[in-house]
C-alpha cells in the first residue's frame, strides 16, 4: 500500500513538472492572428483611401492605397503590411501639412499562404508622429488570388468582361497592401476608374441611381475588417426589391433575381426586430456569374451571391438570410482571428435559422437542420479530433480551409443548446445585448465565453455551467446533451427511400411534387448502398433528377451517381460540373468520382474540361484534392 502511494506521489510530481514544462514552452496565444505579418501592436490603420484604375486588357488594378495610421508603440520605426503578388512602385509618408516624404521599403520573405510582408521604414522626420498617412503605389497581378477577371464568354450576356473580388479569408492583401487581419477595422473611400460602359460596385455606399461613365466614388463610413473589402465591375444593372433593398445583376439575370429574392426586404425588417438595428444603410445583393466560388459572401451593404440560387422557386434563399444575418454576426461583431470563425459562421447559421423561421416556418428550418446535422456527422468521421473543437489551436495552415462545417453547424447547435437551456426570451435578450456591447468591435472566443458566463451562465437558474460551454468550445465531437434536429417530412422521405429501394413501391408513388427540395435531397441521400442500376434509371427517368434546375438536388443526385458509378448519368454530371463553379456544389462530386475506385482519370479529364471557367480558389482546391489522391 505504502509503495503504491509513493508511486502515485512520484507520478503526480512528474506530471506536474511535465505540464509546467509544456506551459513554458507553449507560447501559443489564442488572441494572436497567425495569418498576418502586420505589426498591429505597434501601428493600426484607421482609414483607407483607394484610387484604382481597372484594366481589363492587362487584368490589373493600378493605382494607390493611402492608409491613415496611428502609432501605438512610440519606439516603433517600421510598419509591416500584408501583400501577395503585388508590384510595389513607391511608398511615401504624407504629413498633415501636405508634405510627402519618400519612405524606404522592401519586400520580406514570401510564405505560400501568408504572402509577402511589405516592410516600410518611417523616415526620420516622421518618427515622432502618432498619426500619419502611408501612400503605396502598386499594381496587382493577373494571378491575384482575390480577383477573378472573367472574359465576356464566361458571363451571362457574353459581351462584356466582368471582375469581382473575394477577400475572405486572407486575400484582400492580393489587391490592396494593408494590415490584413480581422482584428483591425478601417473606414474606407475609393475612386475607381473603369471602361465607361461598365458599372463598378463596392462593399460601400452604392447609389442605385449612379449613372455610368467609368468614374465612380465610394465611401464606407462604418469601420470594417479588411476581409470585407469588395469590388465588382461589369455590365450590371440595378432593380429594387424594397425600400432599402435591391439587386444588381447582368440584365439577363435581373428578372429571375428579382423574383427569387423578393423576400429580402422582409428579411431585413424581421432581422432588425430580432437582432437590433441594421447599422449599414442599404442592403443590396449582387448576383455574380457561376464561377463565384461561394454561395454568398457578406460584403457589407452588398452581399455577393451565386447564381446557383436561381432555382425559380425561392427554395434556396436561406443563403440570403445567412448573408444578411452576417450584418450582425461577423460584420458588426467580428471574429478576432480565423480561429474564432465559429463566432462569425456558427452565430450566423443560428441567426439564419431564426430568420427563416419567421419568414417561412419551423418545418423548413427543421428540414435544413437535419440536412446540416447529417453533414456534421459525416464531417466528424474524417476531421481529426483536435480540429473538431469550435475554437481549436490554430497557428498554421490555410484559413480558407479551416473548420467549415464544424464552425457552421456545431456552432449553430451550441447556440441552439443555449437557447433551449435558457429559453428563447432570455437568450434573445442576451443576443441583443451582445450585438450592442460588441458593435464594431472584434471578439475572441475567450472574451465571448466570459461575456456568456457573466450575462447568462451565472444567472440564478442556470442550467449550463462554464465547463459545459468549454466542452463545446474546446472538445471534439458533440456533448451528449447536444440538440438533435428532426423533421417529420424528412423522416417520411427517408422511410420512402427504404421502401422504394426494396421494390415495395413505384417511382410514381413517391409524392415528390408535394415535397420541398430539402425532402427530395434527403430522399436521395438516404438511398441504400445496394440499389441496382436499373432502379436508379427508373428514379432518374421518373423524377427527372439529372435535369433538375435545383442546384442542391443536383448536388445530392450527382454525388450518388458518382459514388455508385451510374454511368448513364455521367453526361449530365459533366454538364453540371460545367454549369456551376460554387465549391460546395462541385467539390464533393469530383471527390466522389475520383474516389469510387474506377474514375480517377475521368474526374481529372472532366476537371481539365471545366477548370477554365472556375474561380482560381475553387480550381486550386479541386486540383490539390485530385492530384494529392486524397480521394478515398
Ligand atoms: N463568409 C462565408 C463565405 C466564406 C467563408 C468565404 C470562409 C471565405 C472563407 C459566407 O457567409 C458563407 O457562409 N457562405 C455559405 C452559405 C451559407 C448559407 C452556409 C456558402 O458559400 O456556402
Ligand atoms: Zn457565412
Amino acid at each position: 500500500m505504502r509503495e503504491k502511494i509513493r508511486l502515485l506521489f512520484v507520478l503526480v510530481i512528474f506530471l506536474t513538472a511535465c505540464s509546467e514544462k509544456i506551459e513554458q514552452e507553449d507560447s501559443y496565444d489564442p488572441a494572436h492572428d497567425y495569418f498576418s505579418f502586420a505589426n498591429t501592436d505597434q501601428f493600426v490603420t484607421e482609414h483607407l483611401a483607394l484610387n484604382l484604375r481597372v484594366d481589363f486588357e492587362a487584368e490589373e488594378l493600378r493605382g494607390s492605397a493611402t492608409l491613415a495610421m496611428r502609432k501605438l508603440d512610440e519606439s516603433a520605426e517600421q510598419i509591416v503590411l500584408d501583400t501577395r503578388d503585388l508590384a510595389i512602385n513607391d511608398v511615401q509618408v504624407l504629413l498633415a501639412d501636405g508634405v510627402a516624404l519618400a519612405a524606404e521599403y522592401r519586400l520580406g520573405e514570401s510564405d505560400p499562404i501568408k504572402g509577402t510582408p511589405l516592410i516600410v521604414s518611417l523616415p526620420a522626420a516622421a518618427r515622432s508622429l502618432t498619426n500619419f498617412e502611408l501612400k503605396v503605389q502598386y499594381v496587382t497581378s493577373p494571378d491575384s488570388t482575390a480577383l477573378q477577371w472573367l472574359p465576356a464568354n464566361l458571363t451571362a450576356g457574353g459581351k462584356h468582361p466582368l471582375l469581382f473580388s473575394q477577400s475572405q479569408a486572407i486575400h484582400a492583401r492580393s489587391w490592396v497592401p494593408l494590415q490584413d487581419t480581422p482584428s483591425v477595422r478601417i473606414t474606407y473611400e475609393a475612386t475607381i476608374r473603369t471602361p465607361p460602359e461598365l458599372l463598378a460596385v463596392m462593399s460601400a455606399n452604392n447609389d442605385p441611381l449612379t449613372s455610368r461613365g467609368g468614374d465612380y466614388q465610394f465611401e464606407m463610413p462604418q469601420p470594417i475588417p479588411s476581409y470585407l473589402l469588395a469590388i465588382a465591375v461589369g455590365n450590371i444593372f440595378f432593380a429594387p426589391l424594397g425600400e432599402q433593398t435591391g439587386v444588381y445583376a447582368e440584365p439577363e439575370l435581373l428578372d429571375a433575381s428579382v423574383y427569387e429574392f423578393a423576400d429580402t426586404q422582409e428579411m431585413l425588417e424581421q432581422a432588425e426586430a430580432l437582432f437590433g438595428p441594421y447599422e449599414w444603410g442599404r442592403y443590396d445583393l449582387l448576383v455574380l456569374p457561376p464561377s463565384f466560388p461561394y454561395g454568398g459572401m457578406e460584403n457589407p451593404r452588398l452581399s455577393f451571391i451565386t447564381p446557383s440560387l436561381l432555382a425559380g422557386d425561392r427554395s434556396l434563399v436561406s443563403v440570403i438570410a445567412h448573408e444578411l444575418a452576417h450584418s450582425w454576426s461577423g460584420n458588426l461583431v467580428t471574429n478576432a482571428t480565423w480561429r474564432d470563425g465559429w463566432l462569425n459562421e456558427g452565430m450566423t447559421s443560428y441567426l439564419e435559422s431564426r430568420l427563416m423561421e419567421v419568414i417561412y416556418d419551423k418545418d423548413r428550418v427543421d428540414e435544413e437542420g437535419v440536412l446540416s446535422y447529417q453533414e456534421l456527422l459525416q464531417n466528424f468521421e474524417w476531421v481529426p479530433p483536435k480540429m473538431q473543437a469550435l475554437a481549436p489551436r490554430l497557428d498554421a495552415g490555410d484559413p480558407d480551409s479551416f473548420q467549415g462545417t464544424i464552425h457552421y453547424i456545431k456552432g449553430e447547435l451550441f447556440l441552439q443548446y443555449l437557447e433551449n437551456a435558457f429559453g428563447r426570451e432570455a437568450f434573445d435578450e442576451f443576443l441583443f445585448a451582445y450585438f450592442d456591447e460588441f458593435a464594431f468591435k472584434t471578439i475572441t472566443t475567450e472574451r465571448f465565453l466570459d461575456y456568456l458566463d457573466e450575462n447568462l451562465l451565472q444567472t440564478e437558474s442556470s442550467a449550463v455551467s462554464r465547463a459545459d460551454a468549454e466542452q463545446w468550445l474546446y472538445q471534439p465531437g458533440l456533448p451528449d446533451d447536444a440538440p438533435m434536429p428532426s423533421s417529420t417530412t424528412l423522416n417520411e422521405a427517408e422511410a420512402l427511400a427504404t421502401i422504394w429501394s426494396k421494390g415495395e413501391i413505384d417511382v410514381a408513388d413517391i409524392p415528390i411534387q408535394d415535397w420541398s427540395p430539402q425532402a427530395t435531397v434527403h430522399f436521395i441521400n438516404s438511398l441504400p448502398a445496394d440499389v441496382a442500376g436499373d432502379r436508379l434509371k427508373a428514379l432518374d427517368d421518373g423524377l427527372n433528377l439529372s435535369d433538375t434546375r435545383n442546384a442542391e438536388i443536383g448536388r445530392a443526385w450527382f454525388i450518388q451517381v458518382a459514388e455508385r458509378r451510374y454511368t448513364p448519368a455521367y453526361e449530365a454530371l459533366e454538364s453540371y460540373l460545367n454549369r456551376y463553379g460554387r465549391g460546395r456544389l462541385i467539390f464533393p462530386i469530383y471527390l466522389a468520382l475520383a474516389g469510387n475506385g474506377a474514375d480517377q482519370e475521368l474526374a481529372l479529364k472532366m476537371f481539365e474540361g471545366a477548370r477554365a471557367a472556375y474561380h482560381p480558389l475553387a480550381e486550386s482546391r479541386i486540383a490539390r484534392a485530385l492530384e494529392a489522391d486524397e480521394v478515398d
Side-chain angles (χ1 to χ4, degrees), residues 42-77:
Q42 299 190 308
F43 296 92
V44 285
T45 315
E46 294 182 330
H47 182 77
L48 162 71
L50 284 172
N51 191 334
L52 295 171
R53 176 172 294 282
V54 181
D55 182 341
F56 278 96
E57 259 108 74
E59 301 190 339
E60 285 171 359
L61 298 178
R62 196 174 312 125
S64 64
T66 304
L67 305 165
M69 317 232 38
R70 187 156 57 88
K71 195 188 219 182
L72 304 178
D73 172 352
E74 258 179 43
S75 65
E77 293 178 0

mmCIF file of all heavy atoms in Angstrom, residues 42-77:
data_model
loop_
_atom_site.group_PDB
_atom_site.id
_atom_site.type_symbol
_atom_site.label_atom_id
_atom_site.label_comp_id
_atom_site.label_asym_id
_atom_site.label_seq_id
_atom_site.Cartn_x
_atom_site.Cartn_y
_atom_site.Cartn_z
ATOM 1 N N GLN A 42 1.963 47.644 -32.853
ATOM 2 C CA GLN A 42 2.740 48.893 -32.930
ATOM 3 C C GLN A 42 2.030 49.991 -33.720
ATOM 4 O O GLN A 42 2.142 51.167 -33.412
ATOM 5 C CB GLN A 42 4.104 48.594 -33.552
ATOM 6 C CG GLN A 42 4.896 47.592 -32.690
ATOM 7 C CD GLN A 42 6.321 47.447 -33.141
ATOM 8 O OE1 GLN A 42 6.576 47.210 -34.308
ATOM 9 N NE2 GLN A 42 7.246 47.604 -32.210
ATOM 10 N N PHE A 43 1.327 49.583 -34.788
ATOM 11 C CA PHE A 43 0.590 50.551 -35.610
ATOM 12 C C PHE A 43 -0.777 49.960 -35.950
ATOM 13 O O PHE A 43 -0.874 48.758 -36.203
ATOM 14 C CB PHE A 43 1.293 50.779 -36.960
ATOM 15 C CG PHE A 43 2.650 51.393 -36.856
ATOM 16 C CD1 PHE A 43 3.786 50.584 -36.769
ATOM 17 C CD2 PHE A 43 2.807 52.771 -36.851
ATOM 18 C CE1 PHE A 43 5.056 51.140 -36.688
ATOM 19 C CE2 PHE A 43 4.078 53.330 -36.768
ATOM 20 C CZ PHE A 43 5.208 52.518 -36.683
ATOM 21 N N VAL A 44 -1.813 50.796 -36.027
ATOM 22 C CA VAL A 44 -3.083 50.329 -36.588
ATOM 23 C C VAL A 44 -3.551 51.292 -37.672
ATOM 24 O O VAL A 44 -3.291 52.495 -37.611
ATOM 25 C CB VAL A 44 -4.219 50.181 -35.548
ATOM 26 C CG1 VAL A 44 -4.025 48.951 -34.703
ATOM 27 C CG2 VAL A 44 -4.353 51.432 -34.701
ATOM 28 N N THR A 45 -4.236 50.739 -38.650
ATOM 29 C CA THR A 45 -4.798 51.557 -39.722
ATOM 30 C C THR A 45 -6.195 51.985 -39.308
ATOM 31 O O THR A 45 -6.956 51.182 -38.764
ATOM 32 C CB THR A 45 -4.905 50.729 -41.017
ATOM 33 O OG1 THR A 45 -3.700 50.006 -41.187
ATOM 34 C CG2 THR A 45 -5.152 51.620 -42.213
ATOM 35 N N GLU A 46 -6.525 53.245 -39.595
ATOM 36 C CA GLU A 46 -7.870 53.725 -39.249
ATOM 37 C C GLU A 46 -8.716 53.993 -40.475
ATOM 38 O O GLU A 46 -9.937 53.888 -40.434
ATOM 39 C CB GLU A 46 -7.760 54.982 -38.385
ATOM 40 C CG GLU A 46 -7.138 54.635 -37.043
ATOM 41 C CD GLU A 46 -7.029 55.802 -36.091
ATOM 42 O OE1 GLU A 46 -6.883 56.951 -36.579
ATOM 43 O OE2 GLU A 46 -7.086 55.565 -34.875
ATOM 44 N N HIS A 47 -8.067 54.347 -41.575
ATOM 45 C CA HIS A 47 -8.834 54.684 -42.783
ATOM 46 C C HIS A 47 -8.007 54.313 -44.004
ATOM 47 O O HIS A 47 -6.782 54.366 -43.981
ATOM 48 C CB HIS A 47 -9.144 56.188 -42.779
ATOM 49 C CG HIS A 47 -9.975 56.631 -43.947
ATOM 50 N ND1 HIS A 47 -11.345 56.394 -44.006
ATOM 51 C CD2 HIS A 47 -9.654 57.275 -45.096
ATOM 52 C CE1 HIS A 47 -11.821 56.877 -45.155
ATOM 53 N NE2 HIS A 47 -10.811 57.427 -45.830
ATOM 54 N N LEU A 48 -8.713 53.956 -45.068
ATOM 55 C CA LEU A 48 -8.047 53.593 -46.323
ATOM 56 C C LEU A 48 -8.660 54.425 -47.442
ATOM 57 O O LEU A 48 -9.886 54.534 -47.528
ATOM 58 C CB LEU A 48 -8.276 52.098 -46.588
ATOM 59 C CG LEU A 48 -8.042 51.591 -48.015
ATOM 60 C CD1 LEU A 48 -6.557 51.596 -48.357
ATOM 61 C CD2 LEU A 48 -8.599 50.162 -48.168
ATOM 62 N N ALA A 49 -7.812 55.005 -48.276
ATOM 63 C CA ALA A 49 -8.312 55.688 -49.480
ATOM 64 C C ALA A 49 -7.708 54.986 -50.687
ATOM 65 O O ALA A 49 -6.488 54.942 -50.849
ATOM 66 C CB ALA A 49 -7.911 57.163 -49.453
ATOM 67 N N LEU A 50 -8.579 54.424 -51.515
ATOM 68 C CA LEU A 50 -8.116 53.707 -52.701
ATOM 69 C C LEU A 50 -8.318 54.577 -53.921
ATOM 70 O O LEU A 50 -9.335 55.267 -54.037
ATOM 71 C CB LEU A 50 -8.940 52.427 -52.904
ATOM 72 C CG LEU A 50 -8.655 51.242 -52.006
ATOM 73 C CD1 LEU A 50 -9.703 50.158 -52.251
ATOM 74 C CD2 LEU A 50 -7.255 50.702 -52.261
ATOM 75 N N ASN A 51 -7.351 54.508 -54.827
ATOM 76 C CA ASN A 51 -7.510 55.196 -56.101
ATOM 77 C C ASN A 51 -7.013 54.227 -57.173
ATOM 78 O O ASN A 51 -5.812 54.022 -57.306
ATOM 79 C CB ASN A 51 -6.670 56.487 -56.067
ATOM 80 C CG ASN A 51 -7.012 57.372 -57.240
ATOM 81 O OD1 ASN A 51 -7.462 56.884 -58.286
ATOM 82 N ND2 ASN A 51 -6.808 58.673 -57.074
ATOM 83 N N LEU A 52 -7.946 53.585 -57.876
ATOM 84 C CA LEU A 52 -7.540 52.475 -58.740
ATOM 85 C C LEU A 52 -8.159 52.564 -60.126
ATOM 86 O O LEU A 52 -9.322 52.944 -60.281
ATOM 87 C CB LEU A 52 -7.967 51.131 -58.106
ATOM 88 C CG LEU A 52 -7.304 50.754 -56.777
ATOM 89 C CD1 LEU A 52 -7.980 49.525 -56.180
ATOM 90 C CD2 LEU A 52 -5.805 50.506 -56.963
ATOM 91 N N ARG A 53 -7.342 52.182 -61.111
ATOM 92 C CA ARG A 53 -7.846 52.041 -62.479
ATOM 93 C C ARG A 53 -8.015 50.546 -62.764
ATOM 94 O O ARG A 53 -7.147 49.742 -62.430
ATOM 95 C CB ARG A 53 -6.843 52.663 -63.458
ATOM 96 C CG ARG A 53 -7.213 52.505 -64.922
ATOM 97 C CD ARG A 53 -6.273 53.314 -65.809
ATOM 98 N NE ARG A 53 -6.415 54.751 -65.595
ATOM 99 C CZ ARG A 53 -7.417 55.498 -66.100
ATOM 100 N NH1 ARG A 53 -8.351 54.943 -66.831
ATOM 101 N NH2 ARG A 53 -7.461 56.796 -65.871
ATOM 102 N N VAL A 54 -9.156 50.191 -63.359
ATOM 103 C CA VAL A 54 -9.446 48.780 -63.644
ATOM 104 C C VAL A 54 -9.110 48.515 -65.110
ATOM 105 O O VAL A 54 -9.781 49.030 -66.002
ATOM 106 C CB VAL A 54 -10.942 48.480 -63.392
ATOM 107 C CG1 VAL A 54 -11.258 47.013 -63.664
ATOM 108 C CG2 VAL A 54 -11.336 48.866 -61.969
ATOM 109 N N ASP A 55 -8.053 47.729 -65.332
ATOM 110 C CA ASP A 55 -7.581 47.498 -66.701
ATOM 111 C C ASP A 55 -7.893 46.053 -67.101
ATOM 112 O O ASP A 55 -7.192 45.123 -66.695
ATOM 113 C CB ASP A 55 -6.067 47.785 -66.740
ATOM 114 C CG ASP A 55 -5.492 47.615 -68.144
ATOM 115 O OD1 ASP A 55 -6.133 46.940 -68.983
ATOM 116 O OD2 ASP A 55 -4.398 48.151 -68.385
ATOM 117 N N PHE A 56 -8.963 45.871 -67.889
ATOM 118 C CA PHE A 56 -9.375 44.517 -68.260
ATOM 119 C C PHE A 56 -8.389 43.856 -69.224
ATOM 120 O O PHE A 56 -8.266 42.635 -69.230
ATOM 121 C CB PHE A 56 -10.787 44.522 -68.860
ATOM 122 C CG PHE A 56 -11.875 44.526 -67.815
ATOM 123 C CD1 PHE A 56 -12.474 45.712 -67.421
ATOM 124 C CD2 PHE A 56 -12.283 43.346 -67.218
ATOM 125 C CE1 PHE A 56 -13.469 45.715 -66.452
ATOM 126 C CE2 PHE A 56 -13.282 43.333 -66.247
ATOM 127 C CZ PHE A 56 -13.884 44.529 -65.865
ATOM 128 N N GLU A 57 -7.722 44.677 -70.063
ATOM 129 C CA GLU A 57 -6.765 44.065 -71.006
ATOM 130 C C GLU A 57 -5.578 43.448 -70.271
ATOM 131 O O GLU A 57 -5.209 42.310 -70.498
ATOM 132 C CB GLU A 57 -6.237 45.096 -72.006
ATOM 133 C CG GLU A 57 -6.905 45.010 -73.360
ATOM 134 C CD GLU A 57 -7.821 46.198 -73.556
ATOM 135 O OE1 GLU A 57 -7.280 47.303 -73.779
ATOM 136 O OE2 GLU A 57 -9.047 46.036 -73.446
ATOM 137 N N ALA A 58 -5.015 44.246 -69.376
ATOM 138 C CA ALA A 58 -3.845 43.751 -68.642
ATOM 139 C C ALA A 58 -4.257 42.880 -67.446
ATOM 140 O O ALA A 58 -3.414 42.239 -66.827
ATOM 141 C CB ALA A 58 -3.006 44.931 -68.155
ATOM 142 N N GLU A 59 -5.537 42.847 -67.132
ATOM 143 C CA GLU A 59 -6.045 42.164 -65.930
ATOM 144 C C GLU A 59 -5.316 42.665 -64.684
ATOM 145 O O GLU A 59 -4.782 41.889 -63.878
ATOM 146 C CB GLU A 59 -5.960 40.643 -66.083
ATOM 147 C CG GLU A 59 -6.749 40.155 -67.283
ATOM 148 C CD GLU A 59 -6.906 38.647 -67.356
ATOM 149 O OE1 GLU A 59 -6.097 37.937 -66.730
ATOM 150 O OE2 GLU A 59 -7.829 38.191 -68.042
ATOM 151 N N GLU A 60 -5.320 43.984 -64.558
ATOM 152 C CA GLU A 60 -4.615 44.611 -63.437
ATOM 153 C C GLU A 60 -5.447 45.731 -62.828
ATOM 154 O O GLU A 60 -6.153 46.436 -63.547
ATOM 155 C CB GLU A 60 -3.332 45.291 -63.938
ATOM 156 C CG GLU A 60 -2.207 44.360 -64.278
ATOM 157 C CD GLU A 60 -1.049 45.096 -64.979
ATOM 158 O OE1 GLU A 60 -1.143 46.336 -65.210
ATOM 159 O OE2 GLU A 60 -0.070 44.413 -65.290
ATOM 160 N N LEU A 61 -5.313 45.886 -61.521
ATOM 161 C CA LEU A 61 -5.735 47.119 -60.865
ATOM 162 C C LEU A 61 -4.459 47.911 -60.637
ATOM 163 O O LEU A 61 -3.447 47.352 -60.198
ATOM 164 C CB LEU A 61 -6.390 46.837 -59.510
ATOM 165 C CG LEU A 61 -7.669 46.000 -59.496
ATOM 166 C CD1 LEU A 61 -8.139 45.790 -58.056
ATOM 167 C CD2 LEU A 61 -8.759 46.670 -60.315
ATOM 168 N N ARG A 62 -4.519 49.212 -60.941
ATOM 169 C CA ARG A 62 -3.294 50.007 -60.858
ATOM 170 C C ARG A 62 -3.612 51.314 -60.160
ATOM 171 O O ARG A 62 -4.622 51.943 -60.480
ATOM 172 C CB ARG A 62 -2.804 50.301 -62.280
ATOM 173 C CG ARG A 62 -1.386 50.769 -62.375
ATOM 174 C CD ARG A 62 -0.934 50.903 -63.828
ATOM 175 N NE ARG A 62 -1.262 49.727 -64.613
ATOM 176 C CZ ARG A 62 -1.965 49.775 -65.744
ATOM 177 N NH1 ARG A 62 -2.416 50.903 -66.204
ATOM 178 N NH2 ARG A 62 -2.212 48.660 -66.408
ATOM 179 N N GLY A 63 -2.786 51.725 -59.199
ATOM 180 C CA GLY A 63 -3.039 53.000 -58.533
ATOM 181 C C GLY A 63 -2.422 53.044 -57.161
ATOM 182 O O GLY A 63 -1.296 52.583 -56.970
ATOM 183 N N SER A 64 -3.191 53.577 -56.211
ATOM 184 C CA SER A 64 -2.600 53.748 -54.880
ATOM 185 C C SER A 64 -3.580 53.422 -53.769
ATOM 186 O O SER A 64 -4.794 53.502 -53.943
ATOM 187 C CB SER A 64 -2.119 55.194 -54.711
ATOM 188 O OG SER A 64 -3.227 56.055 -54.767
ATOM 189 N N ALA A 65 -2.987 53.049 -52.641
ATOM 190 C CA ALA A 65 -3.744 52.874 -51.397
ATOM 191 C C ALA A 65 -3.099 53.800 -50.378
ATOM 192 O O ALA A 65 -1.887 53.726 -50.160
ATOM 193 C CB ALA A 65 -3.647 51.434 -50.920
ATOM 194 N N THR A 66 -3.909 54.689 -49.791
ATOM 195 C CA THR A 66 -3.367 55.571 -48.757
ATOM 196 C C THR A 66 -3.961 55.167 -47.420
ATOM 197 O O THR A 66 -5.179 55.185 -47.237
ATOM 198 C CB THR A 66 -3.701 57.048 -49.089
ATOM 199 O OG1 THR A 66 -3.187 57.326 -50.392
ATOM 200 C CG2 THR A 66 -3.080 57.992 -48.083
ATOM 201 N N LEU A 67 -3.085 54.765 -46.507
ATOM 202 C CA LEU A 67 -3.540 54.242 -45.214
ATOM 203 C C LEU A 67 -3.317 55.299 -44.133
ATOM 204 O O LEU A 67 -2.184 55.766 -43.958
ATOM 205 C CB LEU A 67 -2.742 52.989 -44.838
ATOM 206 C CG LEU A 67 -2.738 51.850 -45.857
ATOM 207 C CD1 LEU A 67 -1.637 50.852 -45.541
ATOM 208 C CD2 LEU A 67 -4.081 51.153 -45.851
ATOM 209 N N ALA A 68 -4.386 55.685 -43.451
ATOM 210 C CA ALA A 68 -4.224 56.597 -42.311
ATOM 211 C C ALA A 68 -3.884 55.742 -41.104
ATOM 212 O O ALA A 68 -4.662 54.877 -40.711
ATOM 213 C CB ALA A 68 -5.510 57.375 -42.073
ATOM 214 N N MET A 69 -2.693 55.988 -40.537
ATOM 215 C CA MET A 69 -2.197 55.100 -39.488
ATOM 216 C C MET A 69 -2.063 55.823 -38.162
ATOM 217 O O MET A 69 -1.829 57.031 -38.113
ATOM 218 C CB MET A 69 -0.822 54.527 -39.852
ATOM 219 C CG MET A 69 -0.709 54.079 -41.271
ATOM 220 S SD MET A 69 -0.092 52.413 -41.533
ATOM 221 C CE MET A 69 -0.733 51.422 -40.308
ATOM 222 N N ARG A 70 -2.187 55.022 -37.118
ATOM 223 C CA ARG A 70 -1.941 55.537 -35.777
ATOM 224 C C ARG A 70 -0.889 54.657 -35.121
ATOM 225 O O ARG A 70 -0.950 53.438 -35.187
ATOM 226 C CB ARG A 70 -3.226 55.491 -34.955
ATOM 227 C CG ARG A 70 -3.101 56.168 -33.591
ATOM 228 C CD ARG A 70 -4.468 56.606 -33.085
ATOM 229 N NE ARG A 70 -5.383 55.468 -33.027
ATOM 230 C CZ ARG A 70 -5.497 54.660 -31.973
ATOM 231 N NH1 ARG A 70 -4.759 54.852 -30.903
ATOM 232 N NH2 ARG A 70 -6.354 53.657 -31.992
ATOM 233 N N LYS A 71 0.086 55.360 -34.523
ATOM 234 C CA LYS A 71 1.173 54.622 -33.880
ATOM 235 C C LYS A 71 0.795 54.308 -32.438
ATOM 236 O O LYS A 71 0.317 55.184 -31.707
ATOM 237 C CB LYS A 71 2.407 55.532 -33.888
ATOM 238 C CG LYS A 71 3.690 54.823 -33.598
ATOM 239 C CD LYS A 71 4.777 55.868 -33.436
ATOM 240 C CE LYS A 71 6.057 55.407 -34.070
ATOM 241 N NZ LYS A 71 7.141 56.374 -33.900
ATOM 242 N N LEU A 72 0.967 53.054 -32.044
ATOM 243 C CA LEU A 72 0.625 52.660 -30.675
ATOM 244 C C LEU A 72 1.872 52.539 -29.805
ATOM 245 O O LEU A 72 1.819 52.702 -28.603
ATOM 246 C CB LEU A 72 -0.094 51.301 -30.673
ATOM 247 C CG LEU A 72 -1.355 51.180 -31.529
ATOM 248 C CD1 LEU A 72 -1.914 49.768 -31.444
ATOM 249 C CD2 LEU A 72 -2.401 52.189 -31.084
ATOM 250 N N ASP A 73 2.989 52.237 -30.453
ATOM 251 C CA ASP A 73 4.222 51.992 -29.716
ATOM 252 C C ASP A 73 5.238 53.053 -30.144
ATOM 253 O O ASP A 73 5.723 53.053 -31.275
ATOM 254 C CB ASP A 73 4.712 50.579 -30.072
ATOM 255 C CG ASP A 73 6.096 50.289 -29.518
ATOM 256 O OD1 ASP A 73 6.746 51.220 -28.983
ATOM 257 O OD2 ASP A 73 6.533 49.134 -29.643
ATOM 258 N N GLU A 74 5.532 53.962 -29.213
ATOM 259 C CA GLU A 74 6.377 55.111 -29.551
ATOM 260 C C GLU A 74 7.695 54.749 -30.191
ATOM 261 O O GLU A 74 8.209 55.448 -31.055
ATOM 262 C CB GLU A 74 6.668 55.901 -28.278
ATOM 263 C CG GLU A 74 5.822 57.136 -28.177
ATOM 264 C CD GLU A 74 6.113 57.881 -26.896
ATOM 265 O OE1 GLU A 74 7.304 58.014 -26.538
ATOM 266 O OE2 GLU A 74 5.134 58.324 -26.268
ATOM 267 N N SER A 75 8.263 53.621 -29.766
ATOM 268 C CA SER A 75 9.607 53.292 -30.241
ATOM 269 C C SER A 75 9.595 52.640 -31.636
ATOM 270 O O SER A 75 10.644 52.425 -32.234
ATOM 271 C CB SER A 75 10.268 52.335 -29.236
ATOM 272 O OG SER A 75 9.531 51.127 -29.244
ATOM 273 N N ALA A 76 8.416 52.336 -32.156
ATOM 274 C CA ALA A 76 8.364 51.583 -33.417
ATOM 275 C C ALA A 76 8.776 52.444 -34.612
ATOM 276 O O ALA A 76 8.384 53.606 -34.718
ATOM 277 C CB ALA A 76 6.959 51.049 -33.632
ATOM 278 N N GLU A 77 9.570 51.866 -35.501
ATOM 279 C CA GLU A 77 10.059 52.628 -36.657
ATOM 280 C C GLU A 77 9.722 51.969 -37.973
ATOM 281 O O GLU A 77 9.946 52.524 -39.043
ATOM 282 C CB GLU A 77 11.577 52.807 -36.544
ATOM 283 C CG GLU A 77 11.940 53.691 -35.372
ATOM 284 C CD GLU A 77 13.431 53.850 -35.191
ATOM 285 O OE1 GLU A 77 14.198 53.267 -35.980
ATOM 286 O OE2 GLU A 77 13.816 54.555 -34.237
#
